[in-house]
Amino acid sequence: GSAMAAVRAVEIDPEGTFKYILVRLQRPGGGEQRDIVRGTKAAEFHNHIFEKVNPEMEKLGYECKCLGGGKIEHNSKDKKIRVFGLSTGYGKADHSVTVEILKKEYTDYEITWSDDKK
C-alpha cells in the first residue's frame, strides 16, 4: 500500500458550518496524486487551513496545491452535509469533486452542493 493512501481523505469538524479547502497532494516530479478535503471552524480564513496542512504533507514528502475552497455545513444529527460558497483567496473549489470524496467517508449521509454563498 502507498503512503499516500494512509493520508486521510477527509478531516472536517463533526458539527457546524465552517470553511473548507480541496487540496491536491502530489509526489514531487509527478506520479501519484490525490485530492483531500480539510475543514474546520478553528480556521478564520481558508489559508489558515492550508498553512496547517501544507507542512504536515511536506513532512510526508508531498507537494500540496490548494484547488479552491468553500464552506461545509455538517449536520451529524440528520446525517446531512451541504457544500457551498467559495474562498476569496483560492477561488471556488469544484464542490462536485468534494462531494464525491465526502461520500466515500460519510457513506450513509445525504450530501449536496450548490454555488450559493450562504
Side-chain angles (χ1 to χ4, degrees):
S2 79
M4 197 175 271
V7 175
R8 290 178 57 185
V10 178
E11 282 182 20
I12 59 171
D13 286 2
E15 190 64 46
T17 301
F18 44 84
K19 292 184 167 66
Y20 94 89
I21 57 172
L22 186 60
V23 178
R24 175 156 293 166
L25 304 184
Q26 197 159 0
R27 281 276 182 223
E32 73 178 319
Q33 57 177 40
R34 174 152 189 234
D35 295 347
I36 61 171
V37 174
R38 294 290 183 269
T40 176
K41 269 189 284 223
E44 192 185 344
F45 299 106
H46 287 90
N47 62 309
H48 292 170
I49 308 172
F50 189 73
E51 281 159 15
K52 188 178 170 292
V53 175
N54 198 32
E56 287 173 9
M57 296 304 150
E58 280 182 343
K59 269 191 212 119
L60 297 172
Y62 304 118
E63 290 171 349
C64 283
K65 185 173 137 200
C66 184
L67 301 177
K71 282 187 168 174
I72 286 176
E73 183 179 33
H74 190 171
N75 181 335
S76 53
K77 188 170 67 73
D78 296 339
K79 297 198 165 180
K80 284 185 178 170
I81 294 177
R82 187 168 75 96
V83 184
F84 64 101
L86 53 83
S87 159
T88 321
Y90 295 122
K92 185 176 81 70
D94 186 339
H95 297 326
S96 63
V97 171
T98 302
V99 166
E100 289 312 308
I101 296 170
L102 290 169
K103 276 181 178 168
K104 290 188 187 114
E105 196 82 11
Y106 295 93
T107 48
D108 55 346
Y109 268 61
E110 181 191 321
I111 306 175
T112 56
W113 71 271
S114 77
D115 288 330
D116 297 348
K117 300 282 188 289
K118 289 188 186 310

